């Protein structure tokens, strides 16, 4: 039951954010300000979280986000190395949606930039893999810094990826 609820919440937020972006991100970028790495307002306002850091659905959402994003970043880097434009496009699009739905704005913005670039016909740039990976490292660190995930918890989640 909880797994289904989490999936519904993430899907609803992905649909909403596929067509809309955080109003803060473009304004900060236009002013030369660094991107917001993690927008807690987005994360805490998710249905089922309701501003509660101890909400069970929050831990479940973050677990799914970490697993899926870690996998996607690795797959994206490999697809860029192999010149697999279609795979890069799918991964960037999916990563954009999930990152923005969770409030990982910088990661979502970089994934959106890559997605838009590919849709505009730009050639693949292997450097994009490093940019996305760095934005993912920043998002992971923000989750740790905010105490939303502990270091042991994050290691445990990431260890399950290889299983």
């Amino acid at each position: 039951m909880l797994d289904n609820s989490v999936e519904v919440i993430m899907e609803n937020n992905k649909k909403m954010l596929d067509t809309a972006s955080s109003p803060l991100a473009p304004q900060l970028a236009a002013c030369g300000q660094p991107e917001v790495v993690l927008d807690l307002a987005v994360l805490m306002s998710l249905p089922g979280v309701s501003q509660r850091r101890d909400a069970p659905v929050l831990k479940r959402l973050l677990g799914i986000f970490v697993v899926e994003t870690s996998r996607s970043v690795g797959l994206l880097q490999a697809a860029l190395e192999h010149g697999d434009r279609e795979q890069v496009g799918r991964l960037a699009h999916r990563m954009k949606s999930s990152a923005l739905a969770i409030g990982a704005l910088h990661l979502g913005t970089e994934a959106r930039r890559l997605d838009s670039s590919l849709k505009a016909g730009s050639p693949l740039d292997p450097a994009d893999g490093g940019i996305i990976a760095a934005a993912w490292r920043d998002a992971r660190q923000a989750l740790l810094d905010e105490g939303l995930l502990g270091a042991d918890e994050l290691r445990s989640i990431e260890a399950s990826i290889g299983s």
Side-chain angles (χ1 to χ4, degrees), residues 22-25 36-45 102-106:
S22 169
L24 197 58
V36 174
V37 173
L38 182 65
D39 186 339
L40 287 177
V42 172
L43 189 57
M44 291 295 126
S45 67
I102 287 291
L105 299 187
H106 181 62

Side-chain angles (χ1 to χ4, degrees), residues 126-138:
D128 285 326
I131 292 168
I132 296 288
W136 171 229
R137 282 190 301 274
D138 291 346

Side-chain angles (χ1 to χ4, degrees), residues 68-78 91 95 107 129 132-134 136:
E68 292 303 315
T69 305
S70 292
R71 281 184 186 146
S72 292
V73 168
L75 291 170
L76 181 104
Q77 289 176 311
L91 290 163
M95 196 179 308
L107 176 59
I132 296 288
W136 171 229

